[in-house]
Amino acid sequence: MTILRAGPLQIDRQDERAWLQGEPVKLSPKAFGLLSALIAMPGRVVTKSELIETVWEGRAVSDAVLTTAMRELRRALNDNARSPSIIETVHGRGYRFLLEVKSGEVSEGPSAGLGAISDAPTDRSAIGDTAMFSAAAATFILLLAVAILRPFGAPAASSLTETPVKSVAVIPFDDLSGSDEHAWFAGGLTEEILSTLAKTPDLNVISTVALNRSVSAPQVARSRNAAHALTGSVRRASGRVRVTAQLTRAEDGMVVWSDSYDRAEADMIGIQEEIAFAIAQALRSVLDPETLRKMVETGTRSVEAYEALLKGHYLLNQQYLTGDASFRRRAYESYEKARATDPTFSAAHWLAARYWMERATYIIPPGEEAEYSVQEISEWFLERVDAAIATETDGVARQKYIAARHEHRLEFRAAHERLKAYVEARPNDPYAWVQLAGTSAVVSDFETGRMAALRLDELSERNALYLSRATVVHLWVRDFDGSLAQAKRSLSQAPGNAFVRYHAHRAFLWAGEIDAARELVGPIDAGALSAHNRLLVQLRQSCAERDYEAARSTYDALSATSNASRASLWLGAVLMGEHDTARSLLAGLDTPQGLNQLAAFTKYPQFASAEFDQLEQKFLTEGIERAGPIFPPYACFQPSE
């Protein structure tokens, strides 16, 4: 919950509540609407027509109606119109909110115990602290209760409600440079604007990068339940960058805001910041201008580092879209260049760290990563995440980085609590919800994990790059019906996405829909996924169809694959009922150096942590009581066999 503070006044816009000097203020809906509209634009004259458009939704009402509601508001706030301290009348024009507004902090008194993380930077000495953020957890429980009321697998909220006014579909900017040389710049700039806007908690930001656009921008926005569409173009030539951007209302195609920027390449960083700030302002974000400007900063003033970051964004998206793992490695190399160019660039440090975190904890590395030792991966991750923590000036973002370090150091509960607090403050960060679902699976907090999976469902409707992960995180938290429902939604939105197909195939088999799974085998086999992933799909299908001869042949081929991941080999052995082989594949990780990677296997429902002594001891030390394994119903051999 976001509480806005303005002197003695506090307001919760979502629940339409206000307090003055810690005491509740009784307001009619229209009087509260006026207060909400004014507090969103402190220091600015809000015209009468704007207030009528916002509060009375454009209906024809007289100035007298507005004056009556304003009189009620002033009376409730004890504000004298002749000598105002809160709301000033600007005669003939409108009204101005006089107080400084702060957002993102916890209310003291009326909302004690319902915490949120402050955006203020924290003391560097506190980075190693493992505090549990108990206050923030209280609000998180409220969010959890709301999410759980919705049946698992039901359509995401955004598809069931009216189009949010503060919503924008970000459509990939066109590259007008005349060659493919700068295509990455347009794609990377689009992604950076999108991720920057997503930090703003009251905006619904929707990515369309994974969609084929053959219709107008307003039509794209309407199809994604967005009230606005952001479009633009990029041209680079002769040392200059020209960017045009336009915000269009989806309902009628009216241009709400537009601008063009013609800068020297050395000045390109400011373009992204200005566009993000202008869009957030046009959509009337509740954040005050100072906070908003700080939030949209790129984190570097180095053009070379910034370009490397944009190139990394573009390449990473290509990996999600095609399934070709080589794009991820190239993206990592771009992030490495960005952080080497500017050692104070926290976002670059984090994205480089994330690469090694996924090598260690997602247990599906590309083949070439198999040659790196567990110790090397750990050291490379810690070096980069510590750099991200040390250079991050945003106190909220820093918590996500610290949570990742806690998880890597097997401090599972600390990681879990920090992530719960983080997503409360930054609810539009899909990657953080993936992280939270992961820690929920590790600590067997399946209620929180299912809430995280449901939230990721909603965010994946805004950003199709997370459609496949939304399917798999339901499996992590043993929500098989939810995984099936999300798999079907994902396939309807991105039927050609390699990872969507891969994870949907497994979801179908867990749900017993063998025929639906069979239809995906051919397209997956013809795609760009690694050979061991394609063979694992064939093995699952053969086992589900009880074609044991085909299963044995496929398993032998998988076992002989030179660059197969440990996870694929283990999953194959489990399916074939080769328990000793499966355990021996992981036994070498049951050491102080390998526990981090071994713990990642707890995301699989079929993993039995009790078979590994050091891992089980770690869970006992953390006070974690692990749930027992669930064997895949499609396996060739069940335990009883």
Side-chain angles (χ1 to χ4, degrees):
M1 178 177 65
T2 299
I3 297 293
L4 300 181
R5 288 179 162 189
L9 180 65
Q10 299 179 66
I11 176 173
D12 176 0
R13 299 178 77 198
Q14 181 176 352
D15 289 342
E16 297 189 353
R17 296 185 297 166
W19 301 266
L20 185 68
Q21 302 287 5
E23 296 296 324
V25 178
K26 294 183 179 180
L27 294 171
S28 69
K30 296 307 181 188
F32 185 89
L34 287 177
L35 176 59
S36 180
L38 289 167
I39 203 171
M41 291 176 278
R44 175 192 151 182
V45 176
V46 185
T47 66
K48 294 179 181 180
S49 60
E50 285 179 308
L51 289 172
I52 291 173
E53 174 70 22
T54 301
V55 180
W56 282 270
E57 300 177 342
R59 291 194 294 271
V61 299
S62 67
D63 284 358
V65 174
L66 172 59
T67 302
T68 300
M70 181 59 69
R71 186 180 300 117
E72 175 195 349
L73 176 58
R74 288 192 190 279
R75 188 182 306 116
L77 300 181
N78 296 322
D79 195 37
N80 191 316
R82 294 185 178 180
S83 56
S85 59
I86 300 177
I87 300 172
E88 176 188 21
T89 300
V90 183
H91 294 289
R93 297 179 62 196
Y95 302 88
R96 177 187 286 114
F97 192 83
L98 298 174
L99 301 177
E100 179 183 2
V101 179
K102 297 181 179 180
S103 63
E105 298 181 337
V106 192
S107 167
E108 296 177 2
S111 299
L114 302 181
I117 304 173
S118 169
D119 271 336
T122 58
D123 191 316
R124 178 69 182 89
S125 63
I127 287 177
D129 177 50
T130 58
M132 295 293 102
F133 292 90
S134 58
T139 301
F140 187 81
I141 295 300
L142 295 179
L143 296 174
L144 171 64
V146 172
I148 291 176
L149 289 176
R150 179 158 63 89
F152 298 146
S158 60
S159 63
L160 299 175
T161 60
E162 295 182 0
T163 301
V165 175
K166 295 184 180 181
S167 56
V168 54
V170 180
I171 296 172
F173 281 25
D174 295 323
D175 177 31
L176 304 180
S177 301
S179 69
D180 294 335
E181 181 182 357
H182 298 301
W184 61 267
F185 181 75
L189 181 65
T190 304
E191 181 66 23
E192 185 67 4
I193 291 172
L194 187 144
S195 61
T196 300
L197 288 173
K199 296 177 186 176
T200 310
D202 61 323
L203 301 185
N204 290 327
V205 187
I206 300 162
S207 169
T208 64
V209 69
L211 301 180
N212 291 322
R213 181 160 65 95
S214 57
V215 295
S216 70
Q219 287 176 300
V220 172
R222 289 196 297 270
S223 72
R224 302 307 306 278
N225 200 35
H228 303 85
L230 176 64
T231 56
S233 63
V234 176
R235 185 190 300 274
R236 295 186 69 175
S238 304
R240 298 195 67 81
V241 177
R242 180 176 177 81
V243 178
T244 63
Q246 180 172 285
L247 186 67
T248 306
R249 197 160 60 196
E251 181 181 15
D252 54 12
M254 176 181 176
V255 176
V256 177
W257 167 89
S258 66
D259 210 339
S260 61
Y261 308 83
D262 192 341
R263 308 275 178 84
E265 288 185 342
D267 299 326
M268 71 170 63
I269 292 176
I271 296 176
Q272 176 259 309
E273 296 175 344
E274 291 178 33
I275 291 175
F277 180 83
I279 296 303
Q281 287 284 80
L283 295 179
R284 299 183 180 180
S285 168
V286 298
L287 296 182
D288 62 272
E290 181 180 352
T291 301
L292 184 59
R293 284 200 181 278
K294 181 176 176 59
M295 186 170 287
V296 302
E297 290 178 353
T298 61
T300 184
R301 308 325 288 176
S302 166
V303 172
E304 185 179 359
Y306 179 65
E307 284 192 327
L309 184 83
L310 296 187
K311 185 172 288 188
H313 289 340
Y314 172 78
L315 292 168
L316 193 61
N317 284 350
Q318 291 302 304
Q319 191 259 346
Y320 285 139
L321 294 172
T322 66
D324 186 344
S326 66
F327 282 114
R328 179 176 290 274
R329 179 67 190 191
R330 291 166 58 194
Y332 165 70
E333 291 168 353
S334 287
Y335 295 139
E336 279 290 296
K337 179 180 179 180
R339 77 185 202 93
T341 303
D342 181 0
T344 68
F345 198 177
S346 180
H349 290 306
W350 164 244
L351 290 165
R354 211 170 82 174
Y355 177 83
W356 294 112
M357 180 175 73
E358 293 180 359
R359 303 285 72 72
T361 62
Y362 278 17
I363 53 181
I364 49 171
E368 66 266 20
E369 261 67 72
E371 64 190 60
Y372 302 135
S373 71
V374 171
Q375 186 64 29
E376 286 175 320
I377 292 173
S378 176
E379 290 175 354
W380 292 330
F381 165 74
L382 289 173
E383 175 189 344
R384 287 152 181 80
V385 78
D386 284 344
I389 294 169
T391 57
E392 182 57 71
T393 60
D394 181 344
V396 180
R398 186 184 295 122
Q399 302 311 317
K400 180 171 70 170
Y401 307 161
I402 296 173
R405 189 174 65 174
H406 278 315
E407 183 179 3
H408 188 80
R409 291 181 170 176
L410 309 178
E411 297 160 351
F412 303 116
R413 290 203 179 279
H416 194 51
E417 296 302 321
R418 283 192 185 268
L419 284 169
K420 287 196 292 185
Y422 172 82
V423 297
E424 182 187 340
R426 296 281 166 82
N428 295 326
D429 183 343
Y431 194 85
W433 289 102
V434 174
Q435 289 178 265
L436 180 59
T439 59
S440 298
V442 174
V443 303
S444 293
D445 181 1
F446 296 125
E447 285 188 335
T448 297
R450 290 174 183 179
M451 188 279 292
L454 289 171
R455 177 58 178 163
L456 191 62
D457 289 351
E458 296 171 354
L459 292 177
S460 70
E461 288 196 355
R462 305 182 195 175
N463 189 338
L465 296 175
Y466 284 88
L467 286 170
S468 62
R469 293 194 182 188
T471 298
V472 75
V473 297
H474 280 283
L475 292 180
W476 290 352
V477 297
R478 306 184 177 201
D479 177 16
F480 305 114
D481 290 341
S483 182
L484 175 64
Q486 180 57 32
K488 291 179 178 179
R489 283 195 295 272
S490 297
L491 284 170
S492 69
Q493 291 190 37
N497 185 289
F499 287 111
V500 165
R501 290 169 174 165
Y502 178 82
H503 292 304
H505 179 265
R506 180 169 44 173
F508 283 142
L509 292 181
W510 271 100
E513 297 199 8
I514 298 174
D515 292 340
R518 185 187 305 113
E519 294 180 4
L520 295 174
V521 175
I524 291 173
D525 194 49
L529 289 176
S530 299
H532 61 95
N533 293 123
R534 300 197 304 272
L535 287 169
L536 188 58
V537 166
Q538 294 173 24
L539 176 59
R540 286 171 174 150
Q541 190 67 33
S542 295
C543 283
E545 295 179 359
R546 297 297 183 250
D547 187 344
Y548 299 127
E549 183 177 349
R552 171 54 61 181
S553 176
T554 302
Y555 177 66
D556 290 343
L558 174 63
S559 301
T561 301
S562 60
N563 65 348
S565 72
R566 191 195 306 263
S568 291
L569 294 173
W570 176 78
L571 288 166
V574 170
L575 288 173
M576 296 302 293
E578 298 192 358
H579 179 76
D580 291 342
T581 300
R583 192 180 186 288
S584 67
L585 284 165
L586 304 185
L589 297 177
D590 195 26
T591 65
Q593 296 76 27
L595 282 184
N596 178 267
Q597 200 165 86
L598 182 60
F601 281 80
T602 59
K603 297 183 178 78
Y604 289 111
Q606 59 266 51
F607 179 75
S609 58
E611 295 183 352
F612 302 93
D613 295 339
Q614 293 202 37
L615 180 62
E616 187 67 8
Q617 184 58 48
K618 180 60 183 176
F619 286 139
L620 290 173
T621 301
E622 284 267 301
I624 296 170
E625 185 175 349
R626 288 277 305 158
I630 300 177
F631 213 66
Y634 53 86
C636 277
F637 297 95
Q638 299 294 327
S640 60
E641 298 176 341

